[in-house]
Amino acid sequence: MRISVIGCGYLGAVHAAAMTQLGHDVVGVDIDEAKVEALAAGRAPFYEPGLSDLLTGALTTGRLRFTTDLAEIAGARVHFVCVGTPQKRGEFAADLKYVDAAFAAVLPHLSDGDLLVGKSTVPVGTAERLAVDLTGSGATLVWNPEFLREGLAVQDTLHPNRLVYGVPAGMPGENATAVLNEVYAAPLADGVPLVVTDYATAELVKVAANSFLATKISFINAMAELCEATGADVTGLAEAIGYDERIGRKFLNAGLGFGGGCLPKDIRAFMARAGELGVDQALSFLREVDSINMRRRVRMVDLAREVCNGSIVGRRIAVLGAAFKPNSDDVRDSPALSVAAQMQLQGAHVVVTDPQAIDNARLKWPDLTFAETAQDAATGADVVLLATEWEQYRELDPVQLATVVREKRILDGRNVLDPEAWRAAGWTYRALGRR
Ligand code: UDX
């Protein structure tokens, strides 16, 4: 199948390479020349485990190319739109300017029988609106939301846990389903579940899933607040309730909460859309989910102040992690960076380290100090804060690290360290939601 992928960011770059791996002939298009150049040379323009190998493998088949020239999508039968939908400045709503621009630009290049497939996360009702613009083009619009997780994007794209097609009614929908089934023949043959539905449901599936995940995280973080007030332990609580299969242990890790380019802006855009639809009450709980999440960051700064006997002014604080999650260099709405910046603004001397995200973090917060390693960051520190649970930080040796810090105070922002081991090495260990 000849495929085009419009927008080669975290989603599109992986999708283009994965589609090639699945046997298709793919052209990836992006307006960013540097990105296109890197991708064409087999270099991932951002850190994503496995992407470079996938790209190089795909490029050597001769069936994958990247370009800035949108006209090169002509000849492809299926066009995936993978552009971003960030939060609007000063508003909760999603900014659809990239989606609208991509659709307008693609339209003149479509042929009769083409399939235009939206993968971007959009407010419900967007597909129906865009489908009207396609009238007369002979092309059909499908909404096919993407559920990939950063850090696991390659695996999630090649082996998704489900496929969702939002299609129009009648024959156009049936034809579109048949074409997409060809595109996804390999995962479907592996038994990946498929849900074929209407546009609105497909759009809602994505934001509903992300809202559920955000709610689960904020639920356990709310429990962490209760644990702090009562002397209980949130990690034991999560373990115990997680044994109930109806609840499940996944996504019950209390700590600094959720960030990134998806969960925070998706729940806000969802609330904004509900307001437009006159059903804002249905999602008013998401406001609380958002508040609980943001409170974690404030609480962590308070905890740092607490262990420093009331003031962080002039204290050296090492922050381990800048990315919003491990195995990513993405710092969009990163809880780690947000806490680091707050502490710096409140007078601490903050030194941030991260295995992959220092360059991105420096662009966002040039006033912070950056160190290459945890060891360098922690040297002379009054407090060490583990903010992103990279494997190398989880495995830090408390005995060794004690030799470089000024004061042995560790804040475990992700509840991943062994408190006993750290205390045994003489550290003051504190975490959110634990004694
Ligand atoms: C998310 C969805 O998981 C994915 O399906 C969707 O396609 C895009 O949004 P992603 O943003 O890559 O993916 O990260 P995810 O693994 O969901 O983590 C989001 C945030 O929640 C991170 O900051 C993470 O640290 C935090 N988190 C996750 C917790 O605080 N506790 C948990 O138990 C799990």
Side-chain angles (χ1 to χ4, degrees):
M1 185 84 70
R2 291 184 66 187
I3 288 176
S4 82
V5 176
I6 295 115
C8 293
Y10 288 98
L11 166 59
V14 182
H15 193 68
M19 289 300 106
T20 314
Q21 166 103 346
L22 294 185
H24 305 298
D25 193 317
V26 183
V27 58
V29 189
D30 201 287
I31 49 170
D32 182 337
E33 275 180 32
K35 195 178 277 178
V36 164
E37 208 172 289
L39 288 165
R43 277 182 282 114
F46 46 85
Y47 180 75
E48 181 61 49
L51 179 55
S52 286
D53 288 348
L54 185 70
L55 265 177
T56 352
L59 286 164
T60 48
T61 65
R63 287 185 280 102
L64 174 64
R65 64 206 159 84
F66 292 96
T67 176
T68 51
D69 182 7
L70 197 79
E72 291 192 36
I73 70 167
R77 184 157 179 221
V78 181
H79 310 273
F80 287 99
V81 176
C82 297
V83 296
T85 51
Q87 188 177 335
K88 269 188 189 163
R89 215 171 257 272
E91 279 181 56
F92 266 14
D95 193 339
L96 292 181
K97 67 180 175 207
Y98 302 115
V99 170
D100 288 338
F103 270 78
V106 165
L107 216 51
H109 304 289
L110 294 179
S111 309
D112 205 22
D114 279 6
L115 214 60
L116 193 50
V117 187
K119 289 195 89 64
S120 311
T121 303
V122 291
V124 57
T126 305
E128 202 180 310
R129 169 172 70 77
L130 293 169
V132 175
D133 299 343
L134 247 61
T135 318
S137 71
T140 305
L141 178 67
V142 177
W143 217 264
N144 171 219
E146 181 58 59
F147 306 104
L148 66 80
R149 295 161 293 177
E150 286 178 32
L152 295 164
V154 170
Q155 179 194 319
D156 284 353
T157 309
L158 289 172
H159 310 285
N161 55 20
R162 79 280 212 192
L163 287 165
V164 177
Y165 308 164
V167 299
M171 272 313 279
E174 281 173 34
N175 291 338
T177 302
V179 175
L180 267 190
N181 282 349
E182 252 184 82
V183 171
Y184 293 121
L188 288 171
D190 287 345
V192 169
L194 167 65
V195 179
V196 182
T197 182
D198 50 70
Y199 289 149
T201 308
E203 290 164 322
L204 279 173
V205 166
K206 177 60 193 270
V207 279
N210 277 356
S211 297
F212 191 86
L213 295 172
T215 304
K216 210 171 171 192
I217 299 169
S218 276
F219 172 83
I220 199 65
N221 282 329
M223 293 306 111
E225 293 186 5
L226 264 296
C227 287
E228 281 177 31
T230 54
D233 185 304
V234 74
T235 59
L237 178 78
E239 185 193 348
I241 63 173
Y243 286 125
D244 184 332
E245 280 178 10
R246 294 168 303 173
I247 297 173
R249 176 62 185 80
K250 288 181 184 155
F251 264 68
L252 282 183
N253 297 323
L256 276 177
F258 59 83
C262 290
L263 259 46
K265 64 105 177 155
D266 284 355
I267 63 168
R268 292 174 191 155
F270 200 14
M271 283 187 268
R273 186 67 186 128
E276 289 166 5
L277 294 165
V279 286
D280 42 335
Q281 264 193 329
L283 296 187
S284 56
F285 73 96
L286 286 179
R287 199 169 279 277
E288 206 48 53
V289 165
D290 202 355
S291 301
I292 294 166
N293 192 51
M294 298 316 272
R295 272 209 301 274
R296 300 290 74 202
R297 305 178 185 188
V298 178
R299 174 71 188 121
M300 185 47 91
V301 179
D302 288 345
L303 199 55
R305 197 175 291 110
E306 226 172 282
V307 296
C308 287
N309 307 320
S311 173
I312 56 171
V313 177
R315 302 300 185 124
R316 182 174 162 125
I317 302 182
V319 176
L320 311 185
F324 84 102
K325 68 188 269 189
N327 299 316
S328 170
D329 64 359
D330 194 348
V331 299
R332 287 176 293 172
D333 202 355
S334 163
L337 261 194
S338 163
V339 169
Q342 271 311 311
M343 294 193 300
Q344 170 94 358
L345 289 168
Q346 293 181 30
H349 173 47
V350 178
V351 185
V352 181
T353 186
D354 190 284
Q356 295 294 336
I358 291 180
D359 290 346
N360 287 342
R362 190 181 277 120
L363 282 175
K364 209 152 200 163
W365 291 99
D367 288 348
L368 294 167
T369 305
F370 294 93
E372 281 301 317
T373 64
Q375 198 74 18
D376 291 346
T379 301
D382 296 294
V383 181
V384 177
L385 161 62
L386 189 159
T388 311
E389 69 277 32
W390 287 91
E391 197 56 40
Q392 50 266 64
Y393 303 154
R394 303 168 80 122
E395 287 170 359
L396 278 170
D397 176 2
V399 176
Q400 195 284 325
L401 204 67
T403 62
V404 301
V405 295
R406 181 153 58 198
E407 296 286 345
K408 290 183 289 231
R409 301 178 181 124
I410 178 89
L411 301 178
D412 183 0
R414 294 291 177 183
N415 281 311
V416 290
L417 300 175
D418 174 5
E420 296 321 314
W422 285 76
R423 286 186 179 130
W427 291 73
T428 298
Y429 171 95
R430 295 293 300 272
L432 299 170
R434 300 181 96 168
R435 278 182 290 277

